[in-house]
Amino acid sequence: MKAILTVADGMADRPVRELGWKTPLEAASKPVLDQIAKTGICGIIDPIAPGIPAGSDVATLAMLGYDPVKSYSGRGALEAVGSGLTVLSSDVGFRCNFATVNENLVVLDRRAGRIDNEDATKLAASLQKVRLPSSFKAEFLFKNTVQHRAALVLRGPKLSPAISDSDPETVGKKVLQVKPLDKSQEAKRTARILNTLMHQFRGVLKESPVNRRRAELRLQQANMILCRGAGTVPKIVTLHEQFGIKPACIAAVSLIKGVCKVAGMSLIDVRGATGTPQTDYSAKAKAAVHALTTHDFVFLHVKATDVASHDGALKLKVEVIERIDRMLGYVVDHVDADSTFLAVTADHTTSVATRNHEGDPVPVAIAGPYVRRDDVTEFGERTCAHGGLNRIRGVDLMLTMMSLMGKAKKFGS
Amino acid sequence: MKAILTVADGMADRPVRELGWKTPLEAASKPVLDQIAKTGICGIIDPIAPGIPAGSDVATLAMLGYDPVKSYSGRGALEAVGSGLTVLSSDVGFRCNFATVNENLVVLDRRAGRIDNEDATKLAASLQKVRLPSSFKAEFLFKNTVQHRAALVLRGPKLSPAISDSDPETVGKKVLQVKPLDKSQEAKRTARILNTLMHQFRGVLKESPVNRRRAELRLQQANMILCRGAGTVPKIVTLHEQFGIKPACIAAVSLIKGVCKVAGMSLIDVRGATGTPQTDYSAKAKAAVHALTTHDFVFLHVKATDVASHDGALKLKVEVIERIDRMLGYVVDHVDADSTFLAVTADHTTSVATRNHEGDPVPVAIAGPYVRRDDVTEFGERTCAHGGLNRIRGVDLMLTMMSLMGKAKKFGS
């Protein structure tokens, strides 16, 4: 038995006036999603618990069967792992941005004009020569990912993730001094190291020929690194250890890749998968089907629905859902229905109206051999609430699927 | 965004033969409740967990979003807070009754003939002159509330709520010696203090001119104070701290006021609100609507449904529900539907047949902007079970509402 779990980031929504009080999912033409709902068992899921808006990091941990509260240890390390950096259990990881600041360190653009990958890669290379003062007995790893995004890892003895962000998250505000968030020596030391490193980075970036050229081209200078989300790698057992499965992940964004890597999944890179609404849906579908030949569980993640929601782009969100539907059409047509479970859900609700993650539950449908097919005939936030799974939590989904696959361990005897 | 959460105490019930196997709620004419259900999202709530009959104290804590098991620390202190007494974190509070006992301290009437407020106030005043032996290094606060009801607070170092009641809760039984419930010095000391104080109170009451006059009028003498429900104030964060809201409470009974005060809510006194079936429903409705002008969350509590249930008064219970419906009619007509959520539920099931709190879930409906309206068209225990919220727990309700209001904090990032 094999399975593909498709998670459309932030796909769930609330009814909106512009769609005649339908949700984007309800308004979309989605014959394949409806077919999965119709032939499967449906329900609604609270990613964490009722009413709690979930971040994609904790929601994905939960949907993979990990207790989101116990297993979560900050986003930074997950991003770093997902970017391809090796993160040890004693390291502290961060999400970073190339940003534009003025002489007084006031942030002018948190994304340095959405700097292109080429310039970011050159600047990241120039930062490799930075050496922390030897008295710190610490080193760093730094890697740019997509556009202005990057990841940083601090390595050395006695580090702590209990430190604040340097990213003020608002244009017009000054870069923040990193501060310890508890009274430990480790937190004080880590804050001191990061402040020093940020200062060293600033020195290199300011003088970089890349930025001189950008200035000439009237592009925003990438003259500062902003850090946030200090975290450590979650101490979790892999999905293989827990269920004996061979799992793979198809995702474009570092965070999801990081979570899946930490869960011991193979990361499958797909050319054209960008984490944007313009991602190559067809390539992802093909990769998922192909991955099933060498793996028995595939986590297929699409970021685009969340991007459209955060931008308040209602029409785009509906279109993205329709593209996801066609992506799943390929999957349905190319897997063996007698030995494959297809599950579809969202990691959380993102409202196109509020442009935020919201605490409403998300719909789920699971089709496959011997599932207790219910009466739900359409895949939607409200139709699935009448499904046979009723209302479960994110952390329950993986076990539900493992049980269907015959991979769940009996408790008791 | 604003919200009014209406809780009708013990409104939920079981089907009864006399109503053609309908519940009182199902039998009542309740166009407004039905309208809220029809335009909103419905469900059923286990106040604590399935099958657990909830007290109003823990149920109200839960419905306000507090973990009922972790936050509950006995009823006495909540009653004392609700009565208007100041209760410090090191104090122990009690619910008290003025009672009638004979010379051998056998209870003849647990409510001293439901003594009127005037006599009770005079007697309470006479008790203020009592001084505990100075060796105890402790003092007390005592306040009568409605009729025979009163609250007591013990204050001093090293007190413990782990002591038994003096109230035998049955007529014909002797007043109980208060005993420590664990082996701590604190519990022993607190029991000793309370026994001494009860003895001192008895001395004052026996000789009171109020009781001499009551004897002449052949009224039951209020010649003993019975104590029960030793408790401390829950250590909880306020709703403002947790959600950034400005909450108000409209309730007549001390217990609910106490819970709401501890949760940091403004207590709004309403003339004519009595906690009985004869309460001024219209005044409460007006007060709730008015409170929304200065607060963004109003907890509107009606005790009457529970009173009728405990009395086994079926017809009265139906009538009270119909009055609550008219009360909500005023609310619906006077709030801005585009910016106000209206939620209705009960804190627990109270059966008119058994006259007890029962463990059956309670119905809930939430109407307001952007809710995922479902197919439920009537507000009832059984209709709401088909609603889009499915089955949640009491502790989930507040977060669900806060999420709708945009006040829930994201977990993860």
Side-chain angles (χ1 to χ4, degrees):
Chain A
M1 289 292 173
K2 305 206 163 195
I4 298 178
L5 168 58
T6 301
V7 174
D9 206 311
M11 176 167 65
D13 210 317
R14 292 171 174 170
V16 286
R17 189 187 300 266
E18 297 88 327
L19 298 173
W21 297 111
K22 288 184 175 182
T23 68
L25 185 56
E26 289 168 348
S29 165
K30 43 173 197 332
V32 180
L33 285 165
D34 290 345
Q35 183 66 17
I36 293 172
K38 193 171 174 179
T39 58
I41 185 167
C42 300
I44 53 176
I45 297 181
D46 294 296
I48 309 302
I52 298 183
S56 286
D57 40 16
V58 291
T60 304
L61 279 166
M63 299 269 180
L64 290 176
Y66 298 101
D67 181 316
V69 177
K70 285 188 194 157
S71 63
Y72 186 56
S73 53
R75 179 161 175 161
L78 296 169
E79 289 267 0
V81 170
S83 77
L85 291 174
T86 301
V87 187
L88 309 179
S89 63
S90 54
D91 292 348
V92 176
F94 303 85
R95 304 165 72 186
C96 301
N97 274 13
F98 284 96
T100 310
V101 296
N102 69 13
E103 279 306 308
N104 300 320
L105 298 185
V106 171
V107 176
L108 304 177
D109 186 335
R110 280 187 65 245
R111 300 182 181 88
R114 287 197 183 265
I115 181 172
D116 60 41
N117 289 355
E118 200 181 327
D119 275 4
T121 301
K122 279 185 203 154
L123 289 168
S126 72
L127 294 176
Q128 305 302 325
K129 68 180 178 214
V130 169
R131 290 289 166 271
L132 279 161
S134 62
S135 60
F136 281 146
K137 295 192 174 71
E139 53 184 329
F140 73 90
L141 311 173
F142 182 85
K143 188 174 178 182
N144 63 306
T145 56
V146 177
Q147 294 179 330
H148 56 279
R149 299 180 191 91
L152 169 72
V153 170
L154 291 185
R155 180 167 297 166
K158 295 184 182 174
L159 296 176
S160 164
I163 60 169
S164 65
D165 299 342
S166 71
D167 187 346
E169 304 221 22
T170 315
V171 168
K173 287 203 174 164
K174 213 175 153 182
V175 175
L176 301 169
Q177 273 290 106
V178 175
K179 289 184 179 151
L181 295 177
D182 64 28
K183 292 183 172 173
S184 69
Q185 286 304 318
E186 285 79 1
K188 277 185 206 159
R189 162 175 151 81
T190 312
R192 209 161 49 230
I193 293 173
L194 189 58
N195 282 322
T196 304
L197 186 62
M198 291 304 101
H199 183 74
Q200 291 178 290
F201 279 0
R202 163 83 176 137
V204 172
L205 294 173
K206 217 165 72 170
E207 305 304 328
S208 161
V210 173
N211 274 324
R212 260 203 308 279
R213 190 181 43 78
R214 289 179 69 83
E216 283 161 17
L217 296 170
R218 297 192 166 272
L219 294 171
Q220 295 280 28
Q221 298 202 26
N223 55 11
M224 189 73 201
I225 300 293
L226 300 176
C227 295
R228 66 191 198 279
T232 54
V233 172
K235 289 173 185 60
I236 56 179
V237 299
T238 66
L239 294 179
H240 179 75
E241 286 165 335
Q242 205 169 357
F243 301 114
I245 56 171
K246 204 177 162 199
C249 158
I250 295 172
V253 289
S254 295
L255 175 64
I256 306 300
K257 285 166 136 177
V259 173
C260 290
K261 183 101 181 263
V262 166
M265 304 171 83
S266 314
L267 300 188
I268 294 174
D269 277 322
V270 178
R271 184 197 284 266
T274 55
T276 69
Q278 293 74 41
T279 194
D280 189 338
Y281 299 86
S282 167
K284 290 186 100 157
K286 284 176 189 162
V289 170
H290 185 70
L292 269 200
T293 60
T294 48
H295 296 79
D296 46 17
F297 179 83
V298 174
F299 183 80
L300 173 55
H301 181 268
V302 180
K303 177 73 179 168
T305 28
D306 196 50
V307 174
S309 308
H310 281 294
D311 288 347
L314 181 56
K315 194 158 157 278
L316 178 62
K317 184 165 184 177
V318 174
E319 282 170 19
V320 167
I321 293 169
E322 293 177 346
R323 282 182 216 154
I324 290 172
D325 193 75
R326 289 196 288 279
M327 173 187 83
L328 287 171
Y330 180 92
V331 172
V332 169
D333 288 346
H334 290 82
V335 297
D336 173 26
D338 290 337
S339 65
T340 312
F341 294 93
L342 294 180
V344 190
T345 189
D347 60 347
H348 50 73
T349 292
T350 310
S351 161
V352 284
T354 68
R355 303 188 179 196
N356 283 325
H357 294 201
E358 300 293 352
D360 309 59
V362 300
V364 61
I366 308 174
Y370 302 103
V371 299
R372 292 180 185 165
R373 183 174 171 171
D374 59 31
D375 299 331
V376 177
T377 56
E378 281 177 39
F379 187 71
E381 293 86 349
R382 290 185 277 201
T383 47
C384 286
H386 298 295
L389 288 172
N390 289 18
R391 185 171 186 159
I392 61 174
R393 299 217 174 176
V395 74
D396 301 325
L397 177 62
M398 193 68 183
L399 269 166
T400 299
M401 294 191 66
M402 290 302 110
S403 168
L404 286 167
M405 288 173 73
K407 299 288 189 184
K409 284 187 198 128
K410 187 159 73 173
F411 175 58
S413 66
Chain B
M1 290 293 174
K2 305 204 163 198
I4 299 179
L5 168 57
T6 302
V7 174
D9 205 310
M11 175 167 67
D13 210 317
R14 293 171 175 171
V16 287
R17 187 188 300 269
E18 297 89 324
L19 298 173
W21 297 112
K22 288 185 175 182
T23 68
L25 186 55
E26 288 168 348
S29 165
K30 44 172 195 334
V32 180
L33 284 164
D34 290 344
Q35 183 65 16
I36 292 172
K38 193 172 174 180
T39 57
I41 185 168
C42 300
I44 53 175
I45 297 181
D46 295 295
I48 310 303
I52 299 183
S56 285
D57 39 16
V58 290
T60 305
L61 279 166
M63 299 269 180
L64 291 176
Y66 298 101
D67 181 315
V69 176
K70 285 188 195 157
S71 62
Y72 186 55
S73 52
R75 178 160 176 161
L78 296 169
E79 289 268 359
V81 170
S83 77
L85 291 174
T86 301
V87 186
L88 309 178
S89 63
S90 55
D91 292 348
V92 177
F94 303 85
R95 307 165 69 187
C96 301
N97 274 13
F98 284 98
T100 311
V101 297
N102 69 14
E103 280 305 310
N104 299 320
L105 298 184
V106 171
V107 176
L108 304 177
D109 187 334
R110 280 187 66 245
R111 300 181 181 87
R114 287 196 183 266
I115 181 172
D116 60 42
N117 289 355
E118 200 181 325
D119 276 4
T121 301
K122 281 185 201 154
L123 289 169
S126 72
L127 295 177
Q128 305 302 326
K129 67 181 178 211
V130 169
R131 289 290 167 270
L132 279 160
S134 62
S135 60
F136 281 147
K137 296 192 172 70
E139 53 184 328
F140 74 89
L141 310 174
F142 182 86
K143 188 172 178 183
N144 64 307
T145 56
V146 178
Q147 295 178 330
H148 56 280
R149 299 180 191 90
L152 170 71
V153 170
L154 292 184
R155 180 167 297 166
K158 297 184 181 173
L159 296 176
S160 165
I163 60 169
S164 65
D165 299 342
S166 71
D167 187 347
E169 303 220 25
T170 315
V171 167
K173 288 202 176 165
K174 214 176 153 182
V175 175
L176 302 168
Q177 275 289 106
V178 175
K179 290 184 178 152
L181 295 177
D182 63 29
K183 292 183 171 173
S184 69
Q185 287 304 318
E186 285 81 1
K188 277 185 206 162
R189 162 177 151 80
T190 311
R192 208 158 53 228
I193 292 172
L194 189 59
N195 282 323
T196 304
L197 186 63
M198 291 304 100
H199 184 74
Q200 290 177 293
F201 278 1
R202 163 83 177 138
V204 172
L205 294 173
K206 218 165 72 172
E207 305 303 328
S208 160
V210 174
N211 274 323
R212 263 205 304 282
R213 190 179 44 75
R214 289 179 70 83
E216 283 161 18
L217 296 169
R218 297 191 166 274
L219 295 170
Q220 295 279 29
Q221 299 201 23
N223 56 11
M224 188 74 202
I225 300 293
L226 299 176
C227 294
R228 66 191 197 279
T232 54
V233 173
K235 289 172 185 63
I236 56 179
V237 299
T238 66
L239 294 180
H240 180 76
E241 287 165 335
Q242 204 166 356
F243 301 114
I245 56 171
K246 204 177 163 200
C249 157
I250 295 173
V253 289
S254 294
L255 176 64
I256 306 300
K257 285 166 133 175
V259 173
C260 290
K261 183 104 182 261
V262 167
M265 304 172 83
S266 315
L267 301 186
I268 294 175
D269 277 323
V270 178
R271 184 197 285 267
T274 56
T276 69
Q278 294 73 41
T279 194
D280 189 338
Y281 299 86
S282 166
K284 290 187 100 157
K286 285 176 188 162
V289 170
H290 185 69
L292 270 200
T293 59
T294 49
H295 297 77
D296 47 16
F297 180 83
V298 175
F299 183 80
L300 174 56
H301 181 267
V302 180
K303 178 74 179 167
T305 28
D306 196 51
V307 174
S309 309
H310 280 295
D311 289 348
L314 182 56
K315 194 157 158 281
L316 178 62
K317 184 164 184 177
V318 174
E319 282 171 18
V320 166
I321 293 169
E322 293 177 345
R323 282 181 215 155
I324 290 172
D325 193 76
R326 290 196 288 278
M327 173 187 85
L328 287 172
Y330 180 91
V331 171
V332 169
D333 288 346
H334 290 82
V335 297
D336 174 26
D338 289 337
S339 65
T340 312
F341 294 94
L342 294 180
V344 191
T345 188
D347 59 347
H348 49 72
T349 292
T350 310
S351 160
V352 285
T354 69
R355 304 189 178 196
N356 282 326
H357 294 202
E358 300 295 352
D360 310 58
V362 300
V364 61
I366 309 173
Y370 301 101
V371 299
R372 291 178 183 166
R373 181 174 170 173
D374 58 30
D375 301 331
V376 176
T377 56
E378 282 178 39
F379 187 72
E381 293 87 346
R382 290 182 277 202
T383 47
C384 286
H386 298 292
L389 288 171
N390 289 19
R391 184 170 187 160
I392 60 175
R393 298 216 175 175
V395 74
D396 300 325
L397 177 62
M398 193 69 181
L399 267 167
T400 298
M401 293 189 68
M402 290 302 109
S403 168
L404 286 168
M405 288 173 72
K407 299 287 188 183
K409 282 187 199 127
K410 188 159 75 171
F411 176 55
S413 70

